[in-house]
Amino acid sequence: MSTQRNEQDYMKLNLQHEMTSEELKEIVTHIKYIPEPPLLDGFAEEAMNRWRSSKRALPGQESPVPLSARQQIKILFSQGWWRELVLGVILFVIGYLVLSVTEMVSPMFILSIVGCMPLLVVVSHTARNTLCGMGELARSFRIPLHKYVQARFLIAGVISILLNLSVTAMAFPARDHEQVFRTTLLWFIPILINGAAALVLSGQIRNFRHLTTVLSMLPFFWMLLFSGEVVANWATSVQLLGLMGLTILSVAIFTVAMIFQSRVLRKGGFLIGA
């Protein structure tokens, strides 16, 4: 009854745009006397108490067990990746033999042209996996996507470097240390530049065929560059200190490209919508 009386008194108030202090105090007084909702009792109170006790009894979330080195390597070499490495090595051998037989460029520059083949094939294969729906699977790994992709690229780059070192040791006499060192720098710089270009292009070109076409043009670019007499004469006559400076610059460019691709992968992933 008291509640109904308070509501009736409240409805009888004459609310105006400009109220006096007494009218305002009267409204505040009526608001104070509005009854509060009843406290939980019986079944509802018991259910809330059980829920609070169950929340307190829950154990803390344990952090996942870190992956071992063997498990990480197994994840990196998943999706039949070794086949693409073999394909890259086969293309490397074919390109080296073709350029050696045709004598289109000096033997000192052959590795500068074909030395990046394994790396470029791996980049193209990663894009093809995305087209086949494997990109979502890669995002479910416990390794972050940017680390997963770039670790594959780095391993392919290391394999390319080891392959080039082996061919350099067999093709050039070991007693001529200056020529061996110059040849090594001449193919090491294109590998770094091609790797940086592959990292940037893979984050920008959203079509698999377009990406493969552009990446396949990189060896032809270096072949045209080193087939010119001006560049060939400069490469054979420049001091080793100058080539070392270009190598350091190439390492810096490659590092910036890796940072750029990491940001792209964190924002949207590798070749989304390819």
Side-chain angles (χ1 to χ4, degrees):
M1 294 296 294
S2 61
T3 304
Q4 293 179 356
R5 185 175 63 253
N6 291 334
E7 291 179 354
Q8 292 175 0
D9 295 341
Y10 179 76
M11 294 298 295
K12 292 179 181 178
L13 292 176
N14 185 17
L15 299 178
Q16 299 177 355
H17 295 288
E18 296 181 358
M19 294 185 297
T20 63
S21 60
E22 295 180 357
E23 292 174 342
L24 183 61
K25 289 180 181 180
E26 187 178 358
I27 293 176
V28 173
T29 303
H30 281 278
I31 293 175
K32 288 181 179 180
Y33 284 105
I34 294 177
E36 297 180 357
L39 298 176
L40 294 177
D41 192 10
F43 171 77
E45 180 65 20
E46 184 180 356
M48 289 298 296
N49 289 333
R50 288 181 179 178
W51 179 79
R52 295 189 187 98
S53 60
S54 63
K55 291 287 288 183
R56 290 192 296 266
L58 287 176
Q61 186 177 4
E62 298 180 358
S63 58
V65 179
L67 295 175
S68 62
R70 179 175 175 274
Q71 291 174 327
Q72 294 183 14
I73 293 175
K74 186 177 180 180
I75 292 175
L76 291 176
F77 280 88
S78 61
Q79 306 176 15
W81 189 39
W82 61 271
R83 299 176 182 175
E84 307 305 321
L85 290 176
V86 173
L87 177 60
V89 173
I90 292 175
L91 293 177
F92 172 87
V93 174
I94 293 175
Y96 187 87
L97 293 177
V98 169
L99 293 178
S100 299
V101 173
T102 57
E103 297 182 354
M104 298 177 61
V105 294
S106 172
M108 183 180 296
F109 306 133
I110 294 179
L111 293 177
S112 303
I113 300 170
V114 301
C116 60
M117 289 294 186
L119 174 61
L120 299 182
V121 172
V122 169
V123 174
S124 177
H125 174 65
T126 306
R128 184 166 62 89
N129 280 346
T130 304
L131 285 178
C132 296
M134 302 301 288
E136 296 299 328
L137 176 61
R139 292 177 182 86
S140 66
F141 294 154
R142 287 172 57 187
I143 301 177
L145 181 64
H146 67 282
K147 293 183 179 180
Y148 169 77
V149 173
Q150 292 186 347
R152 289 165 65 104
F153 289 175
L154 286 176
I155 293 175
V158 170
I159 292 176
S160 300
I161 291 174
L162 294 177
L163 190 61
N164 282 269
L165 286 175
S166 302
V167 176
T168 303
M170 292 185 298
F172 296 92
R175 60 180 180 272
D176 194 351
H177 300 289
E178 182 178 352
Q179 185 181 10
V180 173
F181 189 55
R182 181 183 297 273
T183 304
T184 303
L185 292 177
L186 285 175
W187 59 253
F188 193 70
I189 294 173
I191 285 181
L192 291 172
I193 298 298
N194 289 339
L199 290 172
V200 174
L201 292 173
S202 63
Q204 295 296 314
I205 300 179
R206 302 290 177 168
N207 186 280
F208 167 64
R209 294 181 180 85
H210 294 169
L211 177 63
T212 304
T213 302
V214 175
L215 293 180
S216 63
M217 293 174 62
L218 293 176
F220 291 100
F221 166 77
W222 292 103
M223 184 176 65
L224 293 176
L225 184 65
F226 286 111
S227 60
E229 295 184 0
V230 177
V231 177
N233 294 333
W234 177 86
T236 55
S237 61
V238 67
Q239 296 182 357
L240 292 177
L241 188 62
L243 288 178
M244 293 174 63
L246 289 177
T247 303
I248 296 175
L249 180 61
S250 302
V251 172
I253 294 175
F254 182 78
T255 304
V256 172
M258 287 191 66
I259 296 174
F260 171 79
Q261 197 205 41
S262 296
R263 293 179 178 178
V264 172
L265 293 174
R266 286 168 178 164
K267 289 181 179 179
F270 184 72
L271 285 172
I272 290 181

